[in-house]
Amino acid sequence: MEIGTSKPSLPAAAPTSLPPRSSRMAAVLLLLTATALFSFSTRIPLASADVSFSPKDNILIDCGANSLVNLPDGRIFKTDAASSGYLQANDNIQITDEGGSPPSSPLCQTARIFISDATYSFHLTGAGWHWLRLHFYLMNNSKFPLKTAVFSVTADNLVLLHRFNINNDNNNKSNNQSYYIVKEYLLNMTQSRLNLKFSPVANSLAFINAIEVVSAPDYIIDDSATSLFPVHEYNGLSGFNYQVVYRLNVGGPPITSQNDTLSRSWEPDVNYLKDKSMAANVSVPAKVVKYPEDFPTLVAPPSVYASAVQMANANTQQANFNVTWVFDNGTIDSSYDYVVRLHFCDIVSKALNDLYFNVYINGKTAISGLDLSSLTNGLAVPYYKDVVMNSTLMAEGLKIQIGPMNQDTGSVNAILNGIEVLKMSSSVNSLDGEFGVDGEMAGASNRNTVAAVGFAMMFGAFVGLGAMVIKWHKRPPDWQKRNSFSSWLLPLHAGDTSFMASKTSEKPSEEESDTSAASSAAAASPPDTPVAITAEIQATEHSGTNMFAQFSHLEGR
């Protein structure tokens, strides 16, 4: 999805002629006319401080807590008692952190424990996109072994976590955040109720520290984007559910929920830069960023567009390198497709049409010759692009690069302001593992198709073999006197010339004479012919048996 703006030029004011005695009135009229024309023909940037969003659904639960929790961003999380109407469980176990290292969030001090299946059922005021955030913290507790807890979590018919263990979670290892993680999802709800189910595996338990179910703007995910491989317009994105894997403020500091209207968190990009010496941070005051009136303002806060990474030693004549961000293939599941959202805002150029650069994802060109000012008709105007990455491109993880065009196209530089990576739900409606809620395996339909084709081929082979056997038993009495068995064994009108390709030339050659001689010799040895045919039939039967075994093995997989 591409979001850009175009600013129309101001219409020229028509000359006005008024009597001299009305000069003062004419000046007032001219001023009012010019103001009106400017108001209707110019896109007025929206001030970031005035942008607000009131979610229809805003369910916040601090699981296991006995008192309200107030976060620095102003949000208030309910207690267990106040949210008991949501929960259907056979257990009533709450635990409190027993000390040790101080929790990184007020939501880490308590948790709810489930030793059997438990379900939170939330009534939703409105359908559409909703944030679902699950908070997990490996608390110090002597009674319940949270470190070895293994459980699954589903949202209606969507698998969120499959056999989840916080100690082995890849995101937790990569972020190194003392075993505190937030699993964040973006769900397109079509029903008025969300059922969140926790299912511990046998002889284990499940736990949860906090839950958020919050409405998101309708435009947070557009229905179309650009697919990188194969390159085409990808439609139907609103039919998927998503997990937020990465959200980076490139070139800037961390952005907490306190500074994001939608309560999102953005981490710095420094840990993902492949070579920090090739990148240089640049920033401007957030008020410099100019949101056009038709731009979905809440897609990212102004602080994301007010900072960027550009090429180090930019504007040099010999610049020939890319700035690269690498995302570990341990956190990128190569069995899933992804949406990569790239945020741009030209805060480095001094003039329009002076910055042209390329963007690459996993070695393929995602954007060629990107000129932000031509797309936005201005400088410091936000722009973003969504790219769908097929799972076949994710085997080695994810790598994003920016670099100059290396042509005579103005400044030799490249910039990037923000990165978001979203995992797309699979064909069996799962965001973790290979199986759906009903146990169906992703890609099973493809395997069934392969097996069906294989069995069809096997059946055809046996039919052909049977036809040959019937033909053999019905062979004519004088078959030994014929030069070839093809005239009676093969279908009608399939003689020697159609059974075997022959070379043609302008004049007879010695090879043709040798071939004729060989045919005569074969005809002169009738006792060997049935043996050869029987051997061929036996070989065909053996081949059919092998084919059946191979496809039976494929179906068993």
Side-chain angles (χ1 to χ4, degrees), residues 46 136 163 165 173 190 211 231 284 313 321 397 408 473 543:
L46 299 177
F136 300 99
R163 299 185 65 85
N165 174 257
K173 290 180 178 180
T190 58
I211 300 174
V231 178
V284 297
N313 300 319
F321 61 88
D408 186 15
H473 286 293
S543 175

Side-chain angles (χ1 to χ4, degrees), residues 440 443-457 551 554-555:
E440 182 181 0
S445 59
N446 293 335
R447 279 186 287 272
N448 291 338
T449 301
V450 172
V453 172
F455 278 111
M457 294 174 61
F551 283 106
L554 177 62
E555 177 67 8

Side-chain angles (χ1 to χ4, degrees), residues 68-85:
L68 297 177
V69 174
N70 293 271
L71 296 189
D73 57 16
R75 293 183 298 160
I76 301 176
F77 279 68
K78 294 181 179 181
T79 64
D80 245 6
S83 57
S84 59

Side-chain angles (χ1 to χ4, degrees), residues 161-408:
L161 296 171
H162 177 67
R163 299 185 65 85
F164 170 72
N165 174 257
I166 191 172
N167 193 48
N168 296 327
D169 185 73
N170 287 322
N171 284 341
N172 188 58
K173 290 180 178 180
S174 64
N175 295 332
N176 191 24
Q177 295 182 357
S178 302
Y179 298 103
Y180 172 59
I181 59 174
V182 179
K183 293 290 187 178
E184 184 175 15
Y185 304 92
L186 191 56
L187 312 181
N188 192 1
M189 300 301 302
T190 58
Q191 305 294 329
S192 61
R193 186 166 295 276
L194 170 63
N195 297 304
L196 186 65
K197 184 178 181 180
F198 293 81
S199 303
V201 301
N203 301 320
S204 188
L205 57 89
F207 71 95
I208 182 68
N209 293 81
I211 300 174
E212 302 178 44
V213 180
V214 184
S215 300
D218 293 337
Y219 53 74
I220 198 68
I221 293 289
D222 195 65
D223 193 58
S224 62
T226 299
S227 176
L228 190 56
F229 183 77
V231 178
H232 68 283
E233 183 179 1
Y234 193 106
N235 297 310
L237 291 179
S238 59
F240 292 85
N241 295 295
Y242 299 88
Q243 179 185 354
V244 180
V245 184
Y246 294 101
R247 185 185 288 124
L248 306 184
N249 181 27
V250 177
I255 301 175
T256 65
S257 59
Q258 192 172 358
N259 299 312
D260 187 303
T261 305
L262 301 182
S263 302
R264 295 166 295 188
S265 297
W266 303 69
E267 62 175 313
D269 69 304
V270 62
N271 293 330
Y272 303 95
L273 279 168
K274 183 178 181 180
D275 189 339
K276 298 178 179 61
S277 64
M278 294 185 177
N281 294 346
V282 59
S283 62
V284 297
K287 63 182 180 181
V288 174
V289 177
K290 300 185 290 290
Y291 282 104
E293 63 181 6
D294 60 351
F295 189 88
T297 312
L298 295 178
V299 162
S303 48
V304 169
Y305 294 114
S307 64
V309 157
Q310 65 176 347
M311 297 171 59
N313 300 319
N315 299 316
T316 60
Q317 295 298 321
Q318 298 297 326
N320 188 22
F321 61 88
N322 295 326
V323 183
T324 303
W325 292 264
V326 178
F327 301 89
D328 193 287
N329 58 358
T331 56
I332 297 294
D333 190 338
S334 60
S335 61
Y336 285 84
D337 297 342
Y338 289 80
V339 172
V340 178
R341 174 170 290 179
L342 304 174
H343 297 269
F344 301 95
C345 187
D346 189 353
I347 58 174
V348 300
S349 297
K350 305 301 180 183
L352 300 177
N353 309 115
D354 187 52
L355 177 63
Y356 297 82
F357 60 96
N358 299 329
V359 181
Y360 310 94
I361 303 180
N362 284 2
K364 296 187 177 295
T365 302
I367 312 175
S368 178
L370 178 58
D371 175 19
L372 294 171
S373 63
S374 67
L375 295 172
T376 62
N377 284 341
L379 301 177
V381 179
Y383 169 86
Y384 71 89
K385 184 177 181 66
D386 288 347
V387 179
V388 175
M389 297 293 294
N390 188 282
S391 60
T392 58
L393 297 177
M394 309 297 283
E396 302 298 326
L398 178 64
K399 182 170 64 176
I400 299 174
Q401 297 174 291
I402 57 173
M405 286 191 65
N406 291 329
Q407 298 178 9
D408 186 15

Side-chain angles (χ1 to χ4, degrees), residues 103-150:
S104 57
S105 168
L107 301 175
C108 297
Q109 298 178 5
T110 60
R112 186 92 187 201
I113 301 293
F114 306 113
I115 58 176
S116 61
D117 289 0
T119 302
Y120 284 91
S121 185
F122 304 107
H123 175 74
L124 304 180
T125 303
W129 293 108
H130 282 69
W131 299 112
L132 173 63
R133 299 185 180 103
L134 306 178
H135 298 250
F136 300 99
Y137 177 64
L138 190 57
M139 301 166 55
N140 292 305
N141 185 273
S142 57
K143 187 175 182 180
F144 296 96
L146 302 186
K147 193 171 185 177
T148 59
V150 180

Side-chain angles (χ1 to χ4, degrees), residues 418-464:
I419 300 173
E420 294 182 81
V421 181
L422 309 177
K423 180 195 287 187
M424 303 170 62
S425 55
S426 68
S427 59
V428 294
N429 207 21
S430 174
L431 284 166
D432 188 25
E434 298 179 316
F435 299 94
V437 171
D438 57 359
E440 182 181 0
M441 187 175 183
S445 59
N446 293 335
R447 279 186 287 272
N448 291 338
T449 301
V450 172
V453 172
F455 278 111
M457 294 174 61
M458 178 192 66
F459 179 76
F462 276 107
V463 169

